[in-house]
């Protein structure tokens, strides 16, 4: 079993050497003994007693400022004769030390070892009293030692001194916790016996990471310095602070002994005599002292290694798998030769193209869960950005009433308009359709920019090895996208031009003149009713305020007044409509307008029976041309038929349109019958002066000095505005559907289909292979580091596999 234990420790030492020489100490948690204690608790003295040599720096304050990993390696003697094992013979056998940072150099003088530790500490940690996490690795080969692996850590301190950092205590605690928290570490908690054990900082830290005390060994130093009449028997017996591995008492050299150059051999002999002759400890002297401590540490470490070895094997397998996977991300090393350059370039191009396509389709394995990416952003552009930008366009926001009136007048030329001309509608709706071109072109640009982003993000770790190849791949795909941007943009521009080329007023969703006029008339009647109602209420309120002195109204009077107001307004509307509408319009109302206009549209199917066709045509013409229903000498129907052929009749208007010229003449004649000559003269002078004031012969046509819109012009303006909005909504709906389809077909899908062929045709040339496969230096170092790490893990697994456990 001892032989097996030595083999186990040798294996761990080999692993430790392998780890230190290649990848550092943090990657593989190996079994080791970590020495913990407060400053000046005797840690260094304990280690020197175990080694049997004075090799550690001494002084005031923190002396150990870097972790010291100490590997003790026993050298067996070749001579098995009894004479070879005498103290004199053993003392003459060689022993030496080696540092990891100075390979192939042996230190036979341990004073040189002490100076090298001081120099190496100052080189890394500086000349102040600060600490550093980088360890010093020291091996000591000697026939006097038992094979052990120890880690000496800086001592715990409370108050910074000199130029120490203010958080020196926190730094030290963090460093110690980092080492003792590893489950493969055995904690050697050093506490001075002349200080109450409950105040031990080492035990406090050990309990934090090992609450059950299963891997903690307690060491009591300075037992010989305890007060007379006191002893540490209860502590060593485990009655005060129980530990599974127990407490061991030691006696180190005092400062006076060190200054007196007392040898360690003499100190160990004095220690043994102390425990043998002390009345409190002589019964347990065989379980105290440095030699027993070294044997206990050796036995405990062997058992711990045997226990943790299966976990080390499992950890090595895990690390090998992770490292191999990382190395595979840099590419297959079998394609590294010159004869495989073409295959490697083709493989990388194919993967790049596949990554580009899968990012657009949303089938990539590296889809982000934090933000939209790839094809999802293209959908977001179509649905949210482009759709919302179209919805925010108001088709008539840049058309004022004067603009529409000017367009109507310009479209008729010198001829008077019988009704609203279609040319005015065409003239006004085409520039409004042009408003859809800017957001449509912006949609194309946004999709193009998103494809460029996808192109830059679809590389892999393997591709980063070759930055020039990656740059060329991105350049070729960017050129392809730039080529397709032109056709896509031109086609979208053509879509807008196509919509402006032909204004299809027969579209089934178009509102039409009849429905538009019906809406206009209905809205105007509603506004007029509300206005009259408000005016009548205000007049009633003023009258009521004047009559407050006579008595207050009751709530019943208010309700009755409200009903009277409604009835009065209704009568006024009927009276006004009766004076302005033709008989057909008065009989049928707004619904008749809609019916007659729909019936009179060219190309539309007949919607009325034969009895109403003539009346529908009459009503449509009467609405725009005007017809009075009370001319003498005929009935309403007769007048309706004759008015269509009689040029002397004025144009008919609805309730809010201006009176026709003939109506004005007739009404003036009727009023003249009842006027005196003086009244007639005054009124004629007033009309003449107003006409002169209203007409400015010198003002340019179309300026803002023109008179306000007449009732007829206002209704024509509202009609044109309603028709423009209706047709614009149809075109907007069509553009919102066609533009995304065009972009997907001409830009996105075409790029996906030809990207692989374009990459091969542009880059798969033998004269480019050497340039494209230039490997980045930083990535090359990372790959080589990964290869070295994998090799180390494989060697470690081979070493561990030598033990049949």
């Amino acid at each position: 079993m001892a032989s097996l234990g030595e083999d186990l420790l040798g294996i761990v030492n080999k692993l430790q050497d392998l780890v230190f020489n290649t990848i550092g100490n943090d990657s593989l948690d190996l079994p080791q003994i970590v020495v913990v204690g407060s400053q000046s608790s005797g840690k260094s003295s304990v280690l020197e007693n175990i080694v049997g040599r004075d090799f550690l720096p001494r002084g005031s304050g923190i002396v150990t400022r870097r972790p010291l990993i100490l590997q003790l390696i026993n050298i067996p003697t070749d001579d098995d004769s009894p004479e070879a094992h005498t103290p004199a013979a053993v003392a003459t056998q060689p022993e030496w030390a080696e540092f990891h940072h100075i390979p192939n150099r042996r230190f036979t003088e341990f004073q040189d070892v002490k100076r090298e530790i001081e120099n190496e500490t100052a080189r890394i940690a500086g000349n102040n009293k600060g600490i550093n996490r980088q360890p010093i690795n020291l091996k000591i080969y000697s026939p006097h030692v038992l094979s052990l692996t120890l880690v000496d850590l800086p001592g715990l301190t409370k108050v910074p001194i000199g130029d120490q950092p203010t958080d020196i205590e926190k730094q030290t605690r963090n460093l110690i916790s980092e080492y003792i928290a590893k489950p493969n570490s055995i904690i050697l908690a050093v506490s001075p016996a002349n200080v109450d054990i409950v105040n031990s900082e080492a035990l406090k830290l050990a309990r934090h990471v090992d609450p059950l005390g299963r891997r903690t060994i307690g060491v009591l130093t300075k037992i010989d310095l305890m007060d007379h009449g006191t002893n540490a028997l209860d502590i060593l017996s485990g009655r005060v602070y129980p530990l599974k591995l127990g407490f061991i008492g030691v006696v180190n050299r005092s400062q006076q002994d060190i200054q007196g150059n007392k040898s360690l051999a003499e100190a160990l002999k004095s220690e043994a005599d102390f425990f043998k002759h002390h009345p409190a400890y002589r019964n347990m002297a065989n379980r105290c002292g440095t030699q027993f401590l070294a044997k206990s540490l050796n036995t405990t470490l062997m058992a711990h290694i045997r226990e943790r070895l299966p976990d080390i094997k499992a950890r090595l397998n895990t690390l090998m798998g992770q490292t191999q996977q990382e190395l595979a991300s840099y590419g297959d090393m079998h394609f590294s030769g010159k004869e495989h350059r073409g295959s490697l370039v083709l493989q990388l191009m194919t993967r790049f193209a596949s990554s580009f396509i899968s990012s657009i389709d949303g089938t990539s394995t590296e889809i982000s869960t934090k933000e939209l990416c790839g094809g999802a952003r293209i959908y977001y552009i179509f649905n949210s950005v482009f759709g919302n930008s179209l919805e925010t366009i108001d088709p008539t926001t840049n058309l004022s009433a004067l603009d529409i009136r000017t367009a109507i007048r310009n479209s008729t030329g010198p001829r008077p308009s019988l009704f609203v001309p279609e040319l005015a509608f065409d003239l006004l709706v085409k520039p409004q359709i042009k408003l859809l071109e800017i957001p449509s072109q912006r949609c194309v640009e946004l999709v193009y920019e998103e494809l460029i982003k996808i192109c830059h993000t679809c590389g892999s770790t393997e591709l980063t090895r070759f930055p020039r190849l990656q740059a060329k791949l991105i350049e070729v795909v960017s050129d392809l996208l730039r080529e397709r941007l032109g056709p896509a943009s031109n086609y979208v521009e053509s879509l807008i031009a196509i919509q402006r080329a032909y204004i299809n007023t027969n579209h089934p969703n178009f509102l039409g003149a009849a429905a538009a006029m019906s809406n206009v008339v209905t809205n105007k009647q509603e506004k007029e009713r509300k206005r009259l109602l408000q005016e009548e209420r205000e007049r009633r309120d003023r009258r009521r305020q004047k009559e407050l002195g006579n008595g207050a109204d009751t709530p019943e009077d208010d309700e009755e007044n409200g009903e009277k107001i409604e009835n009065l307004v209704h009568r006024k509307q009927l009276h006004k409509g009766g004076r302005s509408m033709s008989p057909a319009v008065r009989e049928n109302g707004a619904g008749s307008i809609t019916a007659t206009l729909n019936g009179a549209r060219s190309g539309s199917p007949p919607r009325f029976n034969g009895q109403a066709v003539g009346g529908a045509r009459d009503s449509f013409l009467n609405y725009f041309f005007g017809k009075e229903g009370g001319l003498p000498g005929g009935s309403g129907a007769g007048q309706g038929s004759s008015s269509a052929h009689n040029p002397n009749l004025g144009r008919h208007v609805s309730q809010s349109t201006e009176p026709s010229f003939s109506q004005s003449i007739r009404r003036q004649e009727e009023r003249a019958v009842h006027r005196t000559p003086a009244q007639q003269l005054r009124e004629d002078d007033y009309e003449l002066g107003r006409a002169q004031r209203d007409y400015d012969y010198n003002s340019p046509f179309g300026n803002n000095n023109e008179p306000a819109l007449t009732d007829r012009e206002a209704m024509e303006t509202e009609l044109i505005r309603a028709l423009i909005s209706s047709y614009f909504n149809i075109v907007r709906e069509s553009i919102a559907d066609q533009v995304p389809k065009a972009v997907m077909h001409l830009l996105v899908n075409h790029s996906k289909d030809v990207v692989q062929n374009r990459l091969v045709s542009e880059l798969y040339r033998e004269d480019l292979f050497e340039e494209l496969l230039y490997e980045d230096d930083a990535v090359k170092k990372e790959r080589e580091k990964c290869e070295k790490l994998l090799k180390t893990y494989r060697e470690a697994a081979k070493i561990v596999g030598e033990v049949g456990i």
Side-chain angles (χ1 to χ4, degrees):
M1 181 63 69
S3 176
L4 177 59
E6 294 296 333
D7 291 342
L8 288 175
L9 192 55
I11 287 172
V12 171
N13 287 338
K14 287 182 181 179
L15 289 176
Q16 208 144 24
D17 292 342
L18 185 64
V19 168
F20 272 107
N21 291 329
T22 53
I23 56 179
N25 188 42
D26 294 336
S27 58
L28 191 60
D29 180 19
L30 296 175
Q32 57 193 3
I33 299 173
V34 181
V35 184
V36 181
S38 58
Q39 184 176 314
S40 302
S41 62
K43 296 187 290 75
S44 299
S45 297
V46 171
L47 292 178
E48 287 181 337
N49 287 349
I50 293 175
V51 176
R53 288 288 185 172
D54 187 0
F55 69 98
L56 293 176
R58 292 183 178 274
S60 60
I62 296 182
V63 179
T64 305
R65 297 188 290 122
R66 289 176 60 185
L68 176 65
I69 299 179
L70 179 62
Q71 291 181 344
L72 303 181
I73 302 173
N74 179 264
I75 303 176
T77 58
D78 297 333
D79 190 358
D80 293 335
S81 63
E83 291 80 7
H85 294 279
T86 61
V90 171
T92 60
Q93 291 182 0
E95 52 185 351
W96 70 91
E98 294 179 358
F99 286 96
H100 175 259
H101 61 276
I102 308 177
N104 302 324
R105 179 181 173 185
R106 290 186 176 184
F107 289 80
T108 56
E109 295 293 333
F110 283 86
Q111 289 300 320
D112 295 339
V113 174
K114 180 185 296 187
R115 282 192 293 269
E116 181 59 31
I117 292 175
E118 293 174 349
N119 295 337
E120 180 66 13
T121 300
R123 186 178 69 86
I124 300 298
N127 292 320
N128 61 4
K129 296 296 182 179
I131 64 174
N132 189 277
R133 293 176 176 270
Q134 185 175 344
I136 299 174
N137 185 257
L138 174 63
K139 293 181 181 179
I140 294 180
Y141 298 85
S142 173
H144 312 302
V145 298
L146 294 175
S147 296
L148 289 173
T149 301
L150 302 163
V151 181
D152 187 20
L153 296 176
L156 290 164
T157 183
K158 291 288 187 181
V159 180
I161 59 173
D163 54 356
Q164 285 182 347
T166 56
D167 62 339
I168 185 67
E169 180 185 5
K170 182 179 179 181
Q171 291 184 23
T172 308
R173 287 182 178 273
N174 291 341
L175 179 60
I176 293 174
S177 299
E178 181 180 329
Y179 274 87
I180 65 177
K182 298 176 181 178
N184 287 346
S185 297
I186 297 174
I187 305 169
L188 190 67
V190 180
S191 305
N194 58 350
V195 177
D196 197 341
I197 195 67
V198 297
N199 295 324
S200 173
E201 292 290 338
L203 291 175
K204 181 180 178 182
L205 284 175
R207 170 169 280 187
H208 184 68
V209 297
D210 182 30
L212 301 179
R214 291 180 177 175
R215 55 186 181 92
T216 302
I217 299 176
V219 177
L220 279 182
T221 61
K222 303 182 181 180
I223 292 182
D224 55 328
L225 300 181
M226 295 181 68
D227 295 336
H228 292 289
T230 61
N231 57 62
L233 193 58
D234 290 340
I235 298 174
L236 295 175
S237 301
R239 292 191 289 266
V240 176
Y241 191 93
L243 292 175
K244 183 179 180 181
L245 300 178
F247 280 88
I248 299 174
V250 296
V251 175
N252 300 326
R253 290 184 300 170
S254 64
Q255 191 64 29
Q256 182 179 359
D257 295 336
I258 295 173
Q259 292 176 354
N261 294 326
K262 185 178 182 178
S263 66
L264 283 172
E266 294 176 356
L268 292 175
K269 184 178 180 182
S270 299
E271 179 190 38
D273 293 340
F274 173 80
F275 285 111
K276 285 180 181 179
H277 298 97
H278 196 283
Y281 308 119
R282 59 188 177 190
N283 292 330
M284 55 186 314
N286 59 340
R287 291 185 284 115
C288 295
T290 302
Q291 292 183 350
F292 178 76
L293 174 62
K295 292 179 181 179
S296 299
L297 293 179
N298 179 266
T299 304
T300 304
L301 184 59
M302 297 300 176
H304 191 64
I305 292 173
R306 192 179 299 111
E307 178 185 351
R308 305 300 299 182
L309 198 59
D311 294 338
I312 295 175
K313 289 182 178 180
R315 175 65 178 163
L316 278 173
N317 290 331
T318 302
L319 291 173
M320 279 193 296
Q322 293 174 353
T323 309
Q324 198 158 7
Q325 185 176 3
E326 182 182 355
L327 185 61
S329 66
Y330 292 103
D332 192 351
M333 294 299 104
H334 298 294
F335 288 92
S336 58
K338 289 186 178 181
E339 65 276 9
H340 298 297
R341 285 180 175 178
S343 301
L344 181 58
V345 170
L346 185 60
Q347 183 185 46
L348 293 175
M349 285 192 301
T350 303
R351 290 182 181 177
F352 183 85
S354 300
S355 177
F356 179 75
I357 296 172
S358 61
S359 297
I360 296 175
D361 294 338
T363 58
S364 175
T365 56
E366 299 178 358
I367 294 178
S368 173
T369 58
K370 303 297 182 182
E371 61 179 0
L372 292 179
C373 62
R377 285 194 61 83
I378 296 177
Y379 171 77
Y380 176 78
I381 292 171
F382 288 155
N383 187 57
S384 298
V385 179
F386 178 57
N388 291 340
S389 63
L390 293 184
E391 290 298 327
T392 56
I393 298 177
D394 188 347
T396 59
T397 184
N398 59 342
L399 291 179
S400 65
L402 293 179
D403 294 337
I404 298 177
R405 180 178 68 177
T406 302
I408 294 174
R409 291 179 178 179
N410 289 340
S411 63
T412 58
R415 300 174 302 280
S417 63
L418 300 179
F419 49 86
V420 180
E422 285 191 21
L423 185 59
F425 171 71
D426 287 358
L427 184 66
L428 291 169
V429 78
K430 288 181 179 179
Q432 303 310 106
I433 296 175
K434 185 74 173 177
L435 297 176
L436 298 172
E437 183 173 355
I438 294 178
S440 300
Q441 293 289 1
R442 183 55 184 157
C443 176
V444 179
E445 294 172 0
L446 288 175
V447 174
Y448 166 76
E449 293 171 3
E450 190 58 38
L451 290 174
I452 292 293
K453 290 180 183 178
I454 295 174
C455 170
H456 280 79
T457 58
C458 63
S460 61
T461 307
E462 180 182 3
L463 191 59
T464 57
R465 287 178 56 197
F466 311 107
R468 294 180 183 176
L469 175 60
Q470 186 175 20
K472 281 291 185 180
L473 291 173
I474 294 174
E475 181 183 347
V476 171
V477 177
S478 299
D479 291 342
L480 171 63
L481 295 175
R482 200 176 299 112
E483 290 177 8
R484 300 308 304 168
L485 177 63
S489 180
N490 293 336
Y491 185 80
V492 169
E493 184 179 356
S494 300
L495 288 177
I496 305 298
I498 289 170
Q499 294 291 344
R500 298 176 68 233
Y502 178 67
I503 307 302
N504 180 22
T505 55
N506 281 331
H507 194 281
N509 294 334
F510 184 54
L511 184 62
M517 180 56 69
S518 176
N519 292 340
V520 170
V521 171
T522 302
N523 294 337
K524 194 166 188 64
Q525 288 178 346
E526 182 64 21
K527 291 179 182 178
E528 185 68 16
R529 189 187 70 81
K530 291 181 179 179
R531 185 184 66 79
L532 293 176
L533 186 62
Q534 183 65 24
E535 290 178 357
E536 189 64 26
R537 283 178 177 172
E538 291 176 356
R539 188 162 50 251
R540 295 277 181 143
D541 291 340
R542 289 194 297 269
R543 187 184 306 166
R544 188 186 315 167
Q545 290 176 358
K546 292 179 181 179
E547 296 175 356
L548 282 177
N550 299 330
D553 294 338
T554 61
E556 291 79 4
D557 294 336
D558 292 340
E559 295 179 2
E560 184 178 354
N561 290 337
E563 294 177 0
K564 290 181 179 180
I565 292 173
E566 293 283 352
N567 295 334
L568 182 61
V569 169
H570 184 63
R571 288 198 300 273
K572 284 185 177 182
Q573 283 186 314
L574 291 179
H575 179 66
K576 189 172 182 179
R579 288 185 300 167
S580 60
M581 287 186 177
S582 64
V585 174
R586 282 201 305 271
E587 291 174 7
N588 299 326
S592 176
I593 294 173
T594 305
T596 54
L597 289 179
N598 282 330
R601 283 179 57 189
S602 62
S604 60
R607 305 180 184 178
F608 305 96
N609 54 23
Q611 299 175 353
V613 171
R617 181 174 180 83
D618 261 352
S619 299
F620 175 71
L621 296 175
N622 292 342
Y623 175 74
F624 278 105
F625 302 140
K627 180 182 70 175
E628 291 295 323
L631 287 178
S635 63
Q639 296 161 2
S641 61
S642 63
S643 62
H645 306 283
N646 190 349
N648 297 324
L649 291 179
R651 289 178 299 172
H652 169 266
V653 295
S654 67
Q655 65 177 42
S656 300
T657 56
E658 61 177 342
S660 66
F661 180 72
S662 60
Q663 290 172 344
S664 301
I665 295 297
R666 286 197 302 271
R667 288 173 183 170
Q668 290 175 5
E669 291 175 353
E670 291 173 0
R671 289 197 299 270
V673 176
H674 304 288
R675 295 192 189 102
T676 63
Q679 291 174 338
Q680 183 66 36
L681 181 61
R682 285 195 300 273
E683 291 186 5
D684 291 343
D685 291 340
Y686 173 76
E687 293 293 336
L688 179 61
R690 185 177 68 175
Q692 291 175 348
R693 288 193 304 273
D694 290 345
Y695 193 81
D696 185 2
Y697 292 96
N698 297 322
S699 63
F701 185 78
N703 63 8
N704 293 330
N705 296 326
E706 290 190 33
L709 297 178
T710 63
D711 289 345
R712 173 186 173 86
E713 289 172 340
M715 181 163 292
E716 289 173 346
T717 300
E718 290 301 319
L719 177 62
I720 288 290
R721 197 181 295 273
L723 293 176
I724 290 175
S725 297
S726 174
Y727 194 80
F728 184 87
N729 290 335
I730 295 173
V731 176
R732 172 164 51 190
E733 192 174 320
S734 175
I735 293 299
D737 177 64
Q738 292 176 357
V739 168
K741 293 179 178 179
V743 173
M744 286 299 296
H745 175 66
L746 296 174
L747 183 59
V748 180
N749 291 343
H750 187 275
S751 301
K752 287 167 49 181
D753 294 340
V754 304
V755 62
Q756 173 75 21
N757 295 336
R758 177 64 65 90
L759 290 175
V760 173
S761 62
E762 293 285 338
L763 300 179
Y764 192 72
R765 299 204 303 268
E766 191 172 355
D767 56 327
L768 295 176
F769 290 165
E770 184 175 357
E771 178 188 357
L772 295 177
L773 295 180
Y774 168 78
E775 193 169 5
D776 183 67
D777 292 337
V779 178
K780 185 177 181 180
K781 290 180 180 178
E782 290 293 327
R783 180 176 57 80
E784 291 176 351
K785 179 182 176 181
C786 195
E787 290 176 349
K788 184 178 180 181
L789 194 63
L790 182 60
K791 182 179 179 182
T792 301
Y793 288 146
R794 286 174 175 169
E795 291 180 2
K798 183 178 179 181
I799 292 172
V800 174
E802 294 176 359
V803 183
I805 296 181

